[in-house]
Amino acid sequence: MDTMIRRFKRTALLLALAALPALDAFAQDIKYNVLFVAVDDMNDWIAPFGGYPGIKTPNIDKLAKKGVIFTRAYCSAPACNPSRASLLTGVRPSSSGVYHNNQPWRPVLKDAVTIPQYFTANGYEVKGAGKIFHNAFNDKASWPSYFDVPKSPEPPKAPVNGFAHFDWSPVNVQDEDMGDYKVVNEGIGFLKDKHEKPFFLAVGFTRPHLPWYVPQKYFDQYPLSSIKLPKTIANDLQDVPDAGVKIAKPKGDHKFIVEHKQWEKAVQGYLASITFADGQIGRLLDALENSEYAKNTVIVFLGDHGWHLGEKEHWRKFALWEEASRVPFIVYAPGLSKASGVSERTVNLMDIYPTLTELCKLPAKKGVEGNSIVALLKNPAAAWNHPSITTHGFGNHAVRSEQYRYIRYNDGSEELYDHDADPQEWKNLANDVKYASVKAELAKSLPKNNAKDAPTVKEGKE
């Protein structure tokens, strides 16, 4: 009888343990895998970040419910090359001098160890597919295995509505014909394989980068009659210093859009491209979910910078305002991150490197400029005192606290916006003496060092 009772208790204990949430890799000292998902030019219009009402991003929505979304996440630089180079090396633009897309980063960061290199050196199997670094400056040293960015179809007669690659139009093709679809196939194949070592898989999506050419069915989801233009006001640049107006270039893209009555069509093209990208992201996430690695794989999802669609009479990125610097950022760490977590703390893409090394129990990488957000994954409302810094060009910086955005240009001119009262950044408070102490406090976070511009090459596509 005693033996039967002991067996019964042991069975009950095992059943009880089985009913508990799976012990996470973090607690068991098992190495996490990493799925690193980078999306080009995707701003905060996706559903979890509330930027555009009615946008269709069901797969990103699903990921947001699984992990923690950071509603105040920002890029280190509002351009592909400096943003990606900095987050992948852990070296800020102001420390490297890599500020723009036409500055190769490796010549000035010869000894930098990128995230994939560091994971390789620490025993991980590493693979990259699609756009991870800026296309022109992909780093062969970072990838033991890499699948390059395939070309996507274009309309027979391009440009259709815009000029050069600043263009938008449906293309008469299937999803399978698109470059991002083929990139995802590489990721899916990798996740189906058996891996003896923990892995770091990076998958980069090109859309919604220009040109906005995706299959017709995605345009059909956003009829022109239902398109909502961004909230704008007349003369928004009136209180912006000359340095900011020069960046906005109101007589460039925006003048073309307005004069050719393309605003609704352009917004439609951007929305269609986001929803196309979401579908491909869903294929990748479903493959992970259906693999043997679902329960011990960290997912990092990010946009490399924001995007303007007419706010402040500006288009594209390349600016220090909220639209250009705010990014979608979601992190899931099995058994560690809070499901459906929402953190309002100011974080930066520079925080990815130290976060991943801590999550994966790798030695902390020396010299990395960023702050681990592991504490925020556990408790999204945890105390945090790290304003987020975005840099665009030599000596031009924005400091973002939870309430304010402070911009100081290289010529000393300034902008200050109170996001509690003015989320659209319509009223520049920099010249109001009442905010002198606010500016002084935020200025403490400006980079102390401004590296000289790295050498440039002839610039190709963004």
Side-chain angles (χ1 to χ4, degrees), residues 333-350:
L336 179 73
S337 58
K338 182 176 175 63
S340 295
V342 177
S343 180
E344 298 180 352
R345 302 296 177 248
T346 50
V347 299
N348 195 279
L349 296 182
M350 296 299 299

mmCIF file of all heavy atoms in Angstrom, residues 333-350:
data_model
loop_
_atom_site.group_PDB
_atom_site.id
_atom_site.type_symbol
_atom_site.label_atom_id
_atom_site.label_comp_id
_atom_site.label_asym_id
_atom_site.label_seq_id
_atom_site.Cartn_x
_atom_site.Cartn_y
_atom_site.Cartn_z
ATOM 1 N N ALA A 333 10.921 36.644 -25.230
ATOM 2 C CA ALA A 333 11.883 35.705 -24.651
ATOM 3 C C ALA A 333 11.093 34.651 -23.891
ATOM 4 O O ALA A 333 10.449 34.962 -22.887
ATOM 5 C CB ALA A 333 12.846 36.425 -23.714
ATOM 6 N N PRO A 334 11.084 33.401 -24.364
ATOM 7 C CA PRO A 334 10.224 32.368 -23.777
ATOM 8 C C PRO A 334 10.400 32.237 -22.266
ATOM 9 O O PRO A 334 11.513 32.127 -21.770
ATOM 10 C CB PRO A 334 10.677 31.085 -24.495
ATOM 11 C CG PRO A 334 11.303 31.556 -25.764
ATOM 12 C CD PRO A 334 11.926 32.876 -25.446
ATOM 13 N N GLY A 335 9.274 32.300 -21.568
ATOM 14 C CA GLY A 335 9.301 32.102 -20.128
ATOM 15 C C GLY A 335 9.821 33.276 -19.337
ATOM 16 O O GLY A 335 9.803 33.255 -18.107
ATOM 17 N N LEU A 336 10.279 34.318 -20.042
ATOM 18 C CA LEU A 336 10.867 35.466 -19.356
ATOM 19 C C LEU A 336 10.084 36.737 -19.616
ATOM 20 O O LEU A 336 9.716 37.459 -18.692
ATOM 21 C CB LEU A 336 12.318 35.650 -19.807
ATOM 22 C CG LEU A 336 13.049 36.833 -19.182
ATOM 23 C CD1 LEU A 336 13.374 36.540 -17.722
ATOM 24 C CD2 LEU A 336 14.336 37.136 -19.953
ATOM 25 N N SER A 337 9.805 37.028 -20.880
ATOM 26 C CA SER A 337 9.102 38.261 -21.205
ATOM 27 C C SER A 337 7.636 38.162 -20.823
ATOM 28 O O SER A 337 7.051 37.076 -20.800
ATOM 29 C CB SER A 337 9.243 38.587 -22.699
ATOM 30 O OG SER A 337 8.745 37.535 -23.494
ATOM 31 N N LYS A 338 7.046 39.293 -20.555
ATOM 32 C CA LYS A 338 5.646 39.352 -20.136
ATOM 33 C C LYS A 338 4.752 39.336 -21.368
ATOM 34 O O LYS A 338 4.866 40.193 -22.247
ATOM 35 C CB LYS A 338 5.410 40.634 -19.329
ATOM 36 C CG LYS A 338 4.006 40.793 -18.779
ATOM 37 C CD LYS A 338 3.919 42.048 -17.930
ATOM 38 C CE LYS A 338 2.492 42.292 -17.457
ATOM 39 N NZ LYS A 338 2.012 41.217 -16.588
ATOM 40 N N ALA A 339 3.843 38.361 -21.462
ATOM 41 C CA ALA A 339 2.932 38.261 -22.601
ATOM 42 C C ALA A 339 2.053 39.504 -22.674
ATOM 43 O O ALA A 339 1.595 40.017 -21.651
ATOM 44 C CB ALA A 339 2.070 37.016 -22.481
ATOM 45 N N SER A 340 1.852 39.985 -23.897
ATOM 46 C CA SER A 340 1.067 41.207 -24.135
ATOM 47 C C SER A 340 1.594 42.385 -23.318
ATOM 48 O O SER A 340 0.857 43.284 -22.949
ATOM 49 C CB SER A 340 -0.422 40.979 -23.813
ATOM 50 O OG SER A 340 -0.974 40.027 -24.692
ATOM 51 N N GLY A 341 2.897 42.360 -23.062
ATOM 52 C CA GLY A 341 3.502 43.449 -22.297
ATOM 53 C C GLY A 341 3.620 44.716 -23.125
ATOM 54 O O GLY A 341 3.858 44.669 -24.335
ATOM 55 N N VAL A 342 3.443 45.832 -22.470
ATOM 56 C CA VAL A 342 3.590 47.136 -23.127
ATOM 57 C C VAL A 342 4.494 47.988 -22.251
ATOM 58 O O VAL A 342 4.163 48.284 -21.099
ATOM 59 C CB VAL A 342 2.238 47.836 -23.319
ATOM 60 C CG1 VAL A 342 2.445 49.212 -23.945
ATOM 61 C CG2 VAL A 342 1.292 46.993 -24.172
ATOM 62 N N SER A 343 5.646 48.378 -22.800
ATOM 63 C CA SER A 343 6.557 49.231 -22.054
ATOM 64 C C SER A 343 6.591 50.609 -22.693
ATOM 65 O O SER A 343 6.753 50.743 -23.902
ATOM 66 C CB SER A 343 7.977 48.649 -22.045
ATOM 67 O OG SER A 343 8.844 49.506 -21.321
ATOM 68 N N GLU A 344 6.424 51.629 -21.849
ATOM 69 C CA GLU A 344 6.451 53.006 -22.325
ATOM 70 C C GLU A 344 7.805 53.662 -22.077
ATOM 71 O O GLU A 344 7.951 54.867 -22.256
ATOM 72 C CB GLU A 344 5.332 53.800 -21.646
ATOM 73 C CG GLU A 344 3.941 53.269 -21.979
ATOM 74 C CD GLU A 344 2.828 54.047 -21.319
ATOM 75 O OE1 GLU A 344 3.145 54.912 -20.465
ATOM 76 O OE2 GLU A 344 1.659 53.808 -21.646
ATOM 77 N N ARG A 345 8.779 52.859 -21.694
ATOM 78 C CA ARG A 345 10.107 53.403 -21.448
ATOM 79 C C ARG A 345 10.802 53.767 -22.763
ATOM 80 O O ARG A 345 10.539 53.153 -23.793
ATOM 81 C CB ARG A 345 10.967 52.401 -20.662
ATOM 82 C CG ARG A 345 10.353 51.990 -19.326
ATOM 83 C CD ARG A 345 10.260 53.187 -18.388
ATOM 84 N NE ARG A 345 9.624 52.845 -17.131
ATOM 85 C CZ ARG A 345 8.427 53.290 -16.746
ATOM 86 N NH1 ARG A 345 7.734 54.089 -17.540
ATOM 87 N NH2 ARG A 345 7.921 52.950 -15.586
ATOM 88 N N THR A 346 11.687 54.754 -22.704
ATOM 89 C CA THR A 346 12.414 55.173 -23.901
ATOM 90 C C THR A 346 13.605 54.244 -24.126
ATOM 91 O O THR A 346 14.576 54.279 -23.374
ATOM 92 C CB THR A 346 12.914 56.618 -23.764
ATOM 93 O OG1 THR A 346 13.593 56.763 -22.511
ATOM 94 C CG2 THR A 346 11.755 57.594 -23.834
ATOM 95 N N VAL A 347 13.503 53.406 -25.156
ATOM 96 C CA VAL A 347 14.583 52.482 -25.483
ATOM 97 C C VAL A 347 15.081 52.799 -26.890
ATOM 98 O O VAL A 347 14.478 53.567 -27.629
ATOM 99 C CB VAL A 347 14.129 51.015 -25.371
ATOM 100 C CG1 VAL A 347 13.685 50.703 -23.952
ATOM 101 C CG2 VAL A 347 13.007 50.696 -26.367
ATOM 102 N N ASN A 348 16.188 52.172 -27.250
ATOM 103 C CA ASN A 348 16.834 52.455 -28.518
ATOM 104 C C ASN A 348 17.288 51.144 -29.150
ATOM 105 O O ASN A 348 17.552 50.173 -28.432
ATOM 106 C CB ASN A 348 18.038 53.385 -28.272
ATOM 107 C CG ASN A 348 18.563 54.018 -29.542
ATOM 108 O OD1 ASN A 348 19.314 53.401 -30.292
ATOM 109 N ND2 ASN A 348 18.173 55.259 -29.794
ATOM 110 N N LEU A 349 17.395 51.128 -30.453
ATOM 111 C CA LEU A 349 17.878 49.910 -31.119
ATOM 112 C C LEU A 349 19.304 49.565 -30.696
ATOM 113 O O LEU A 349 19.730 48.419 -30.846
ATOM 114 C CB LEU A 349 17.798 50.063 -32.635
ATOM 115 C CG LEU A 349 16.390 50.232 -33.221
ATOM 116 C CD1 LEU A 349 16.442 50.314 -34.745
ATOM 117 C CD2 LEU A 349 15.462 49.091 -32.790
ATOM 118 N N MET A 350 20.035 50.528 -30.149
ATOM 119 C CA MET A 350 21.367 50.242 -29.604
ATOM 120 C C MET A 350 21.294 49.275 -28.426
ATOM 121 O O MET A 350 22.306 48.666 -28.060
ATOM 122 C CB MET A 350 22.044 51.538 -29.147
ATOM 123 C CG MET A 350 22.335 52.529 -30.256
ATOM 124 S SD MET A 350 23.447 51.901 -31.524
ATOM 125 C CE MET A 350 24.924 51.580 -30.590
#
